[in-house]
Amino acid sequence: MFSSPADDITASGSGEWGSTVPDAPWPNGIVPGTNDSVDVEAPFVVTITTNATAGYVYGSGTITLAPDATLTLRGDEFGAQGAQSLSTLNATAPGSTVIYEGNAFWAKRTDYFHLIIRNLSTNQYDFFNGAIPGSGPVPMNIAGDLSVLGRIKVQQGADIFVGGDLIMGTNSSWDVSSFNLTVTSNTTMRGLLLDLDGASGSNYFGGNMLIGSDSIGWNISDVIQWGVGGSLTNDNLIVGRGYGSITFAGSGVITGKPIRIPTMTVSGSYLIGTTITLTTNTPTLTGTLIFDLANTNQLILQSYPTNPLTLYYDGNLNVINTGAVPTPGTTYKFFSATNYDGAFDLQTFPPLPVGLAWEDNLLTSGSITVSGSVATPPMITSTQYDRATRALTLVWTSSPAMTYSVIYSATLPGSFGTVLASGIPSGGAQTSTAVTLPAGDTGFVRVLQE
């Protein structure tokens, strides 16, 4: 809840906020209390070196935060609480933080290192960095983290750059509208992300992005450009309209609950860790798609009776396997569409046991199938030895289209380092051959599949 300012304190000089020296900066050296309003007029400069708390600040002067210092403004129920009515707020020193707990509208539109807008009221308040009476739009650069917590609606009226993490708390919302939002690091969305005016703009979330289970979701509009540079985890809802699209431009995993959006672009390298349904247009695949045989996720292009869409392959396809060894006859479906066209520049499939091969059905059914049969290890079923000639005739179980070797050791255990025969073609279910044993009365042989 808001706090009512107790006193209005006017700086009578320049100095450090916590100083008790008279007029440096406070009259009689009395430091403002946590609920006081503070007036700093030019040419005075008040510096915060540790932590300071007030109701709100205003005036034609300057408040400067030192590195790692924190200024908390608690606000009041009425009036220009916050810092918007302060002429200059220097809050970009490394590690410094400004926290607004009042009406978000009065948070000063300027650059920060860390910025926290926290609404402790049950009312909703707006933060707007566009044109207002007496001020034009203010592009903002937050070098570190930006947190928007509580019932706050951010209405973008100019570009916003976040060099660290963006954290959107429960009940918050962010309307990107016509401008550019750039987040260099990670984004946690527990509110609502959307575009209300349908005008062009570009938004890029450079790190990992989480749509929390307690969020409202992410609404993908059809003219705003949305980009993700890390992994995307959808624990709630991502929807879109028109030709709304997400561009996955970095590397990571697309995971969580199934995603249903108009279309998408993959220009980076991404593991498809959930099912993605595209409802309007074929995806643009110029990067690398990764599928894991251990999962059943698909990229689905939804068609309609009057508009049978075609899924066009491009870029690279990398299939990995973190699960069980594939068995003959198993089909793995990665893509689902009415029609398929195009081709991947490079296709990589995981290795298979000897005797099995991959059957590529991507252009017909969006799938690959394991064909062939697994060769069983050879087992010697009979032997016949001629001591006079040292000829040993062997018969063993075999698999078609295989070749075998016979190796020898004089002792057991021992090293089977002597090759008696190699390149022996399979005879079908059984194979027979004769080899000559080295001189001596004892020895052991093995049959190996080559």
Side-chain angles (χ1 to χ4, degrees):
M1 58 185 300
F2 292 119
S3 300
S4 297
D7 294 298
D8 184 63
I9 308 299
T10 300
S12 52
S14 296
E16 202 277 324
W17 182 289
S19 171
T20 57
V21 177
D23 302 321
W26 312 119
N28 301 318
I30 300 175
V31 178
T34 58
N35 295 331
D36 293 338
S37 58
V38 175
D39 178 9
V40 179
E41 299 294 340
F44 299 143
V45 176
V46 176
T47 302
I48 300 171
T49 58
T50 54
N51 300 318
T53 302
Y56 59 90
V57 294
Y58 66 100
S60 61
T62 299
I63 294 179
T64 298
L65 273 69
D68 300 317
T70 298
L71 171 61
T72 301
L73 299 176
R74 304 182 67 187
D76 64 52
E77 192 68 43
F78 309 100
Q81 78 272 358
Q84 192 177 121
S85 296
L86 176 69
S87 177
T88 304
L89 176 61
N90 292 330
T92 59
S96 63
T97 304
V98 177
I99 303 172
Y100 294 98
E101 293 183 343
N103 186 334
F105 180 82
W106 298 107
K108 188 167 183 60
R109 295 105 57 80
T110 188
D111 294 341
Y112 297 86
F113 193 88
H114 295 311
L115 173 60
I116 299 174
I117 305 175
R118 180 167 59 203
N119 182 8
L120 302 180
S121 168
T122 57
N123 298 319
Q124 177 174 297
Y125 294 103
D126 295 349
F127 175 76
F128 178 54
N129 70 326
I132 59 175
S135 174
V138 182
M140 293 175 60
N141 293 286
I142 293 92
D145 301 337
L146 170 59
S147 298
V148 181
L149 309 175
R151 293 178 62 82
I152 295 173
K153 175 184 175 182
V154 177
Q155 172 65 59
Q156 247 182 277
D159 294 350
I160 295 179
F161 173 87
V162 181
D165 294 342
L166 171 62
I167 300 170
M168 298 292 295
T170 304
N171 296 322
S172 67
S173 65
W174 191 299
D175 176 14
V176 297
S177 291
S178 311
F179 301 93
N180 302 319
L181 169 62
T182 302
V183 181
T184 299
S185 191
N186 301 322
T187 298
T188 300
M189 177 58 62
R190 302 192 184 281
L192 173 63
L193 182 63
L194 75 165
D195 163 44
L196 289 178
D197 68 2
S200 60
S202 178
N203 306 288
Y204 183 68
F205 305 92
N208 299 328
M209 189 171 187
L210 168 66
I211 308 301
S213 59
D214 52 352
S215 68
I216 301 174
W218 182 7
N219 193 331
I220 307 296
S221 58
D222 63 353
V223 291
I224 290 284
Q225 298 178 33
W226 305 90
V228 175
S231 295
L232 172 63
T233 301
N234 175 38
D235 287 340
N236 194 356
L237 180 66
I238 301 177
V239 297
R241 64 181 185 271
Y243 285 83
S245 177
I246 303 174
T247 296
F248 295 91
S251 63
V253 181
I254 305 172
T255 188
K257 292 185 177 180
I259 297 173
R260 186 181 180 88
I261 56 177
T263 188
M264 65 185 292
T265 293
V266 178
S267 58
S269 179
Y270 280 86
L271 171 65
I272 307 301
T274 188
T275 293
I276 303 172
T277 300
L278 308 178
T279 60
T280 303
N281 202 16
T282 187
T284 301
L285 307 175
T286 58
T288 298
L289 291 179
I290 305 171
F291 288 89
D292 190 342
L293 298 184
N295 301 317
T296 58
N297 302 312
Q298 295 181 11
L299 183 60
I300 301 172
L301 179 60
Q302 180 176 310
S303 284
Y304 306 89
T306 59
N307 185 25
L309 300 177
T310 298
L311 196 155
Y312 292 92
Y313 298 129
D314 197 1
N316 303 319
L317 174 64
N318 181 17
V319 180
I320 63 175
N321 183 26
T322 62
V325 176
T327 56
T330 304
T331 294
Y332 300 92
K333 188 172 180 64
F334 307 131
F335 306 95
S336 179
T338 302
N339 305 300
Y340 306 90
D341 205 344
F344 289 107
D345 298 328
L346 176 66
Q347 295 182 170
T348 304
F349 301 145
L352 292 171
V354 175
L356 300 183
W358 288 111
E359 181 180 323
D360 186 344
N361 302 311
L362 293 172
L363 280 174
T364 56
S365 63
S367 64
I368 60 175
T369 300
V370 181
S371 61
S373 59
V374 178
T376 58
M379 179 180 296
I380 298 174
T381 57
S382 65
T383 62
Q384 184 176 354
Y385 182 57
D386 186 334
R387 290 181 177 275
T389 62
R390 302 199 306 277
L392 176 65
T393 301
L394 302 168
V395 179
W396 64 86
T397 59
S398 57
S399 299
M402 297 289 111
T403 58
Y404 298 88
S405 297
V406 179
I407 57 178
Y408 169 85
S409 174
T411 60
L412 191 66
S415 174
F416 285 81
T418 302
V419 179
L420 301 180
S422 63
I424 304 167
S426 171
Q430 285 192 327
T431 301
S432 175
T433 195
V435 295
T436 300
L437 297 181
D441 295 329
T442 61
F444 303 88
V445 295
R446 285 180 177 174
V447 177
L448 296 180
Q449 181 180 293
E450 295 180 346

